[in-house]
PDB file of all heavy atoms in Angstrom:
ATOM      1  N   ALA V  14       8.193 -11.476  -2.469  1.00 99.00           N
ATOM      2  CA  ALA V  14       9.111 -12.263  -3.295  1.00 99.00           C
ATOM      3  C   ALA V  14       9.769 -11.346  -4.311  1.00 99.00           C
ATOM      4  O   ALA V  14       9.199 -10.331  -4.723  1.00 99.00           O
ATOM      5  CB  ALA V  14       8.362 -13.385  -4.017  1.00 99.00           C
ATOM      6  N   ARG V  17      13.004 -12.047 -11.030  1.00 97.00           N
ATOM      7  CA  ARG V  17      14.085 -11.673 -11.940  1.00 97.00           C
ATOM      8  C   ARG V  17      13.874 -12.351 -13.294  1.00 97.00           C
ATOM      9  O   ARG V  17      13.121 -13.309 -13.408  1.00 97.00           O
ATOM     10  CB  ARG V  17      15.432 -12.064 -11.348  1.00 97.00           C
ATOM     11  CG  ARG V  17      15.804 -11.272 -10.091  1.00 97.00           C
ATOM     12  CD  ARG V  17      17.118 -11.740  -9.481  1.00 97.00           C
ATOM     13  NE  ARG V  17      17.529 -10.880  -8.361  1.00 97.00           N
ATOM     14  CZ  ARG V  17      17.103 -11.021  -7.118  1.00 97.00           C
ATOM     15  NH1 ARG V  17      16.242 -11.995  -6.829  1.00 97.00           N
ATOM     16  NH2 ARG V  17      17.513 -10.206  -6.167  1.00 97.00           N
ATOM     17  N   LEU V  43       5.516  -8.100  -4.788  1.00 99.00           N
ATOM     18  CA  LEU V  43       6.555  -8.530  -5.718  1.00 99.00           C
ATOM     19  C   LEU V  43       7.547  -7.395  -5.945  1.00 99.00           C
ATOM     20  O   LEU V  43       7.147  -6.241  -6.143  1.00 99.00           O
ATOM     21  CB  LEU V  43       5.964  -8.931  -7.075  1.00 99.00           C
ATOM     22  CG  LEU V  43       5.045 -10.152  -7.122  1.00 99.00           C
ATOM     23  CD1 LEU V  43       4.614 -10.420  -8.559  1.00 99.00           C
ATOM     24  CD2 LEU V  43       5.707 -11.391  -6.527  1.00 99.00           C
ATOM     25  N   PRO V  46      13.897  -6.233  -9.361  1.00 98.00           N
ATOM     26  CA  PRO V  46      15.129  -5.429  -9.381  1.00 98.00           C
ATOM     27  C   PRO V  46      15.577  -5.121 -10.809  1.00 98.00           C
ATOM     28  O   PRO V  46      15.208  -5.812 -11.767  1.00 98.00           O
ATOM     29  CB  PRO V  46      16.151  -6.343  -8.684  1.00 98.00           C
ATOM     30  CG  PRO V  46      15.368  -7.469  -8.082  1.00 98.00           C
ATOM     31  CD  PRO V  46      14.116  -7.593  -8.889  1.00 98.00           C
ATOM     32  N   GLY V  63      -5.053  -3.685 -14.499  1.00 98.00           N
ATOM     33  CA  GLY V  63      -6.352  -3.065 -14.295  1.00 98.00           C
ATOM     34  C   GLY V  63      -6.307  -1.622 -14.738  1.00 98.00           C
ATOM     35  O   GLY V  63      -5.278  -1.133 -15.209  1.00 98.00           O
ATOM     36  N   PRO V  64      -7.409  -0.904 -14.563  1.00 98.00           N
ATOM     37  CA  PRO V  64      -7.419   0.521 -14.911  1.00 98.00           C
ATOM     38  C   PRO V  64      -6.602   1.314 -13.888  1.00 98.00           C
ATOM     39  O   PRO V  64      -6.301   0.812 -12.803  1.00 98.00           O
ATOM     40  CB  PRO V  64      -8.907   0.881 -14.821  1.00 98.00           C
ATOM     41  CG  PRO V  64      -9.437  -0.057 -13.774  1.00 98.00           C
ATOM     42  CD  PRO V  64      -8.687  -1.353 -13.979  1.00 98.00           C
ATOM     43  N   ALA V  72      -0.950  15.841  -5.924  1.00 98.00           N
ATOM     44  CA  ALA V  72      -0.882  16.269  -7.328  1.00 98.00           C
ATOM     45  C   ALA V  72      -0.002  15.318  -8.127  1.00 98.00           C
ATOM     46  O   ALA V  72       1.033  14.863  -7.638  1.00 98.00           O
ATOM     47  CB  ALA V  72      -0.332  17.683  -7.417  1.00 98.00           C
ATOM     48  N   TRP V  98       0.790   2.513   9.317  1.00 98.00           N
ATOM     49  CA  TRP V  98       0.196   1.387   8.601  1.00 98.00           C
ATOM     50  C   TRP V  98      -1.084   1.828   7.891  1.00 98.00           C
ATOM     51  O   TRP V  98      -1.906   2.544   8.468  1.00 98.00           O
ATOM     52  CB  TRP V  98      -0.132   0.257   9.558  1.00 98.00           C
ATOM     53  CG  TRP V  98       1.066  -0.447  10.108  1.00 98.00           C
ATOM     54  CD1 TRP V  98       1.556  -0.386  11.389  1.00 98.00           C
ATOM     55  CD2 TRP V  98       1.934  -1.357   9.406  1.00 98.00           C
ATOM     56  NE1 TRP V  98       2.673  -1.182  11.511  1.00 98.00           N
ATOM     57  CE2 TRP V  98       2.923  -1.793  10.320  1.00 98.00           C
ATOM     58  CE3 TRP V  98       1.963  -1.826   8.094  1.00 98.00           C
ATOM     59  CZ2 TRP V  98       3.931  -2.685   9.966  1.00 98.00           C
ATOM     60  CZ3 TRP V  98       2.969  -2.716   7.730  1.00 98.00           C
ATOM     61  CH2 TRP V  98       3.932  -3.140   8.657  1.00 98.00           C
ATOM     62  N   ASP V 101      -3.730   1.541   0.796  1.00 98.00           N
ATOM     63  CA  ASP V 101      -3.907   2.761   0.005  1.00 98.00           C
ATOM     64  C   ASP V 101      -5.372   3.039  -0.329  1.00 98.00           C
ATOM     65  O   ASP V 101      -6.074   2.176  -0.873  1.00 98.00           O
ATOM     66  CB  ASP V 101      -3.095   2.673  -1.296  1.00 98.00           C
ATOM     67  CG  ASP V 101      -1.603   2.880  -1.052  1.00 98.00           C
ATOM     68  OD1 ASP V 101      -1.249   3.542  -0.059  1.00 98.00           O
ATOM     69  OD2 ASP V 101      -0.800   2.381  -1.863  1.00 98.00           O
ATOM     70  N   GLN V 105     -12.030   4.935  -0.198  1.00 98.00           N
ATOM     71  CA  GLN V 105     -12.806   5.069  -1.425  1.00 98.00           C
ATOM     72  C   GLN V 105     -13.913   4.015  -1.484  1.00 98.00           C
ATOM     73  O   GLN V 105     -13.813   2.959  -0.860  1.00 98.00           O
ATOM     74  CB  GLN V 105     -11.890   4.947  -2.640  1.00 98.00           C
ATOM     75  CG  GLN V 105     -10.898   6.095  -2.766  1.00 98.00           C
ATOM     76  CD  GLN V 105      -9.952   5.960  -3.949  1.00 98.00           C
ATOM     77  OE1 GLN V 105      -9.630   4.855  -4.367  1.00 98.00           O
ATOM     78  NE2 GLN V 105      -9.498   7.079  -4.479  1.00 98.00           N
ATOM     79  N   TYR V 115       8.124   2.732  -8.098  1.00 99.00           N
ATOM     80  CA  TYR V 115       9.383   2.564  -8.830  1.00 99.00           C
ATOM     81  C   TYR V 115      10.452   3.464  -8.242  1.00 99.00           C
ATOM     82  O   TYR V 115      10.278   4.680  -8.141  1.00 99.00           O
ATOM     83  CB  TYR V 115       9.171   2.887 -10.309  1.00 99.00           C
ATOM     84  CG  TYR V 115      10.410   2.760 -11.160  1.00 99.00           C
ATOM     85  CD1 TYR V 115      11.048   1.528 -11.312  1.00 99.00           C
ATOM     86  CD2 TYR V 115      10.946   3.856 -11.818  1.00 99.00           C
ATOM     87  CE1 TYR V 115      12.186   1.405 -12.099  1.00 99.00           C
ATOM     88  CE2 TYR V 115      12.071   3.743 -12.614  1.00 99.00           C
ATOM     89  CZ  TYR V 115      12.695   2.509 -12.744  1.00 99.00           C
ATOM     90  OH  TYR V 115      13.822   2.385 -13.515  1.00 99.00           O
ATOM     91  N   GLY V 124      14.956   3.921   4.638  1.00 98.00           N
ATOM     92  CA  GLY V 124      13.891   3.983   3.648  1.00 98.00           C
ATOM     93  C   GLY V 124      13.205   2.669   3.340  1.00 98.00           C
ATOM     94  O   GLY V 124      12.535   2.549   2.310  1.00 98.00           O
ATOM     95  N   THR V 129       2.510  -5.989   5.907  1.00 98.00           N
ATOM     96  CA  THR V 129       1.991  -6.984   6.838  1.00 98.00           C
ATOM     97  C   THR V 129       0.855  -7.767   6.182  1.00 98.00           C
ATOM     98  O   THR V 129      -0.037  -7.194   5.544  1.00 98.00           O
ATOM     99  CB  THR V 129       1.552  -6.345   8.172  1.00 98.00           C
ATOM    100  OG1 THR V 129       1.017  -7.338   9.043  1.00 98.00           O
ATOM    101  CG2 THR V 129       0.537  -5.254   7.995  1.00 98.00           C
ATOM    102  N   ARG V 143     -11.807 -12.546  16.862  1.00 98.00           N
ATOM    103  CA  ARG V 143     -12.454 -12.756  15.565  1.00 98.00           C
ATOM    104  C   ARG V 143     -13.978 -12.781  15.715  1.00 98.00           C
ATOM    105  O   ARG V 143     -14.693 -12.211  14.874  1.00 98.00           O
ATOM    106  CB  ARG V 143     -11.960 -14.052  14.921  1.00 98.00           C
ATOM    107  CG  ARG V 143     -12.646 -14.327  13.593  1.00 98.00           C
ATOM    108  CD  ARG V 143     -11.901 -15.294  12.737  1.00 98.00           C
ATOM    109  NE  ARG V 143     -12.601 -15.512  11.476  1.00 98.00           N
ATOM    110  CZ  ARG V 143     -12.056 -16.032  10.392  1.00 98.00           C
ATOM    111  NH1 ARG V 143     -10.785 -16.412  10.407  1.00 98.00           N
ATOM    112  NH2 ARG V 143     -12.750 -16.198   9.286  1.00 98.00           N
ATOM    113  N   GLU V 147     -16.622 -10.412  13.485  1.00 98.00           N
ATOM    114  CA  GLU V 147     -17.373 -11.086  12.423  1.00 98.00           C
ATOM    115  C   GLU V 147     -18.628 -10.286  12.075  1.00 98.00           C
ATOM    116  O   GLU V 147     -19.413  -9.907  12.951  1.00 98.00           O
ATOM    117  CB  GLU V 147     -17.788 -12.495  12.857  1.00 98.00           C
ATOM    118  CG  GLU V 147     -16.648 -13.495  12.917  1.00 98.00           C
ATOM    119  CD  GLU V 147     -16.298 -14.085  11.555  1.00 98.00           C
ATOM    120  OE1 GLU V 147     -16.921 -13.673  10.556  1.00 98.00           O
ATOM    121  OE2 GLU V 147     -15.407 -14.954  11.511  1.00 98.00           O
ATOM    122  N   ALA V 160      -7.723  16.096   5.464  1.00 98.00           N
ATOM    123  CA  ALA V 160      -8.569  17.270   5.686  1.00 98.00           C
ATOM    124  C   ALA V 160      -7.670  18.464   6.021  1.00 98.00           C
ATOM    125  O   ALA V 160      -6.517  18.288   6.425  1.00 98.00           O
ATOM    126  CB  ALA V 160      -9.550  17.003   6.820  1.00 98.00           C
ATOM    127  N   PRO V 161      -8.161  19.686   5.851  1.00 98.00           N
ATOM    128  CA  PRO V 161      -7.336  20.853   6.185  1.00 98.00           C
ATOM    129  C   PRO V 161      -6.801  20.828   7.612  1.00 98.00           C
ATOM    130  O   PRO V 161      -5.732  21.380   7.884  1.00 98.00           O
ATOM    131  CB  PRO V 161      -8.295  22.028   5.961  1.00 98.00           C
ATOM    132  CG  PRO V 161      -9.229  21.538   4.896  1.00 98.00           C
ATOM    133  CD  PRO V 161      -9.435  20.077   5.207  1.00 98.00           C
ATOM    134  N   PHE V 164      -3.332  15.577   9.359  1.00 97.00           N
ATOM    135  CA  PHE V 164      -1.882  15.468   9.514  1.00 97.00           C
ATOM    136  C   PHE V 164      -1.135  16.188   8.393  1.00 97.00           C
ATOM    137  O   PHE V 164      -0.088  16.808   8.619  1.00 97.00           O
ATOM    138  CB  PHE V 164      -1.483  13.989   9.547  1.00 97.00           C
ATOM    139  CG  PHE V 164      -0.053  13.747   9.928  1.00 97.00           C
ATOM    140  CD1 PHE V 164       0.342  13.767  11.260  1.00 97.00           C
ATOM    141  CD2 PHE V 164       0.907  13.491   8.960  1.00 97.00           C
ATOM    142  CE1 PHE V 164       1.657  13.554  11.626  1.00 97.00           C
ATOM    143  CE2 PHE V 164       2.226  13.281   9.312  1.00 97.00           C
ATOM    144  CZ  PHE V 164       2.608  13.308  10.645  1.00 97.00           C
ATOM    145  N   HIS V 192     -13.057  -9.398   4.814  1.00 98.00           N
ATOM    146  CA  HIS V 192     -13.621  -9.536   3.468  1.00 98.00           C
ATOM    147  C   HIS V 192     -12.937 -10.689   2.746  1.00 98.00           C
ATOM    148  O   HIS V 192     -11.887 -11.163   3.152  1.00 98.00           O
ATOM    149  CB  HIS V 192     -13.517  -8.229   2.685  1.00 98.00           C
ATOM    150  CG  HIS V 192     -12.162  -7.925   2.107  1.00 98.00           C
ATOM    151  ND1 HIS V 192     -11.986  -7.137   1.009  1.00 98.00           N
ATOM    152  CD2 HIS V 192     -10.905  -8.308   2.462  1.00 98.00           C
ATOM    153  CE1 HIS V 192     -10.710  -7.032   0.711  1.00 98.00           C
ATOM    154  NE2 HIS V 192     -10.027  -7.722   1.572  1.00 98.00           N
ATOM    155  N   PRO V 195     -11.281 -10.801  -3.807  1.00 98.00           N
ATOM    156  CA  PRO V 195     -12.118 -11.114  -4.969  1.00 98.00           C
ATOM    157  C   PRO V 195     -11.484 -12.082  -5.964  1.00 98.00           C
ATOM    158  O   PRO V 195     -12.206 -12.664  -6.779  1.00 98.00           O
ATOM    159  CB  PRO V 195     -12.338  -9.736  -5.618  1.00 98.00           C
ATOM    160  CG  PRO V 195     -11.230  -8.891  -5.125  1.00 98.00           C
ATOM    161  CD  PRO V 195     -10.924  -9.387  -3.750  1.00 98.00           C
ATOM    162  N   GLY V 198     -10.295 -15.618  -3.184  1.00 98.00           N
ATOM    163  CA  GLY V 198     -11.392 -16.162  -2.390  1.00 98.00           C
ATOM    164  C   GLY V 198     -11.059 -16.350  -0.933  1.00 98.00           C
ATOM    165  O   GLY V 198     -11.902 -16.808  -0.148  1.00 98.00           O
ATOM    166  N   ASP V 222     -11.903   1.513  20.671  1.00 98.00           N
ATOM    167  CA  ASP V 222     -11.208   0.488  21.454  1.00 98.00           C
ATOM    168  C   ASP V 222     -11.036  -0.786  20.633  1.00 98.00           C
ATOM    169  O   ASP V 222      -9.973  -1.420  20.666  1.00 98.00           O
ATOM    170  CB  ASP V 222     -11.988   0.177  22.738  1.00 98.00           C
ATOM    171  CG  ASP V 222     -11.833   1.258  23.796  1.00 98.00           C
ATOM    172  OD1 ASP V 222     -10.927   2.108  23.638  1.00 98.00           O
ATOM    173  OD2 ASP V 222     -12.618   1.253  24.765  1.00 98.00           O
ATOM    174  N   LEU V 223     -12.072  -1.160  19.882  1.00 98.00           N
ATOM    175  CA  LEU V 223     -11.988  -2.369  19.057  1.00 98.00           C
ATOM    176  C   LEU V 223     -11.025  -2.160  17.892  1.00 98.00           C
ATOM    177  O   LEU V 223     -10.214  -3.045  17.580  1.00 98.00           O
ATOM    178  CB  LEU V 223     -13.379  -2.745  18.542  1.00 98.00           C
ATOM    179  CG  LEU V 223     -13.468  -4.032  17.706  1.00 98.00           C
ATOM    180  CD1 LEU V 223     -12.881  -5.222  18.448  1.00 98.00           C
ATOM    181  CD2 LEU V 223     -14.928  -4.314  17.316  1.00 98.00           C
ATOM    182  N   ARG V 268      15.406  11.234  -1.741  1.00 98.00           N
ATOM    183  CA  ARG V 268      14.713   9.988  -2.070  1.00 98.00           C
ATOM    184  C   ARG V 268      13.566  10.327  -3.015  1.00 98.00           C
ATOM    185  O   ARG V 268      12.805  11.268  -2.762  1.00 98.00           O
ATOM    186  CB  ARG V 268      14.176   9.304  -0.811  1.00 98.00           C
ATOM    187  CG  ARG V 268      13.569   7.908  -1.036  1.00 98.00           C
ATOM    188  CD  ARG V 268      13.269   7.277   0.327  1.00 98.00           C
ATOM    189  NE  ARG V 268      12.825   5.888   0.233  1.00 98.00           N
ATOM    190  CZ  ARG V 268      11.545   5.504   0.265  1.00 98.00           C
ATOM    191  NH1 ARG V 268      10.573   6.409   0.370  1.00 98.00           N
ATOM    192  NH2 ARG V 268      11.227   4.230   0.195  1.00 98.00           N
TER     193      ARG V 268
END
Side-chain angles (χ1 to χ4, degrees):
R17 293 177 174 84
L43 295 182
W98 290 108
D101 285 334
Q105 294 178 331
Y115 179 63
T129 178
R143 178 161 180 162
E147 288 278 2
F164 190 81
H192 78 154
D222 284 346
L223 183 54
R268 187 172 186 262

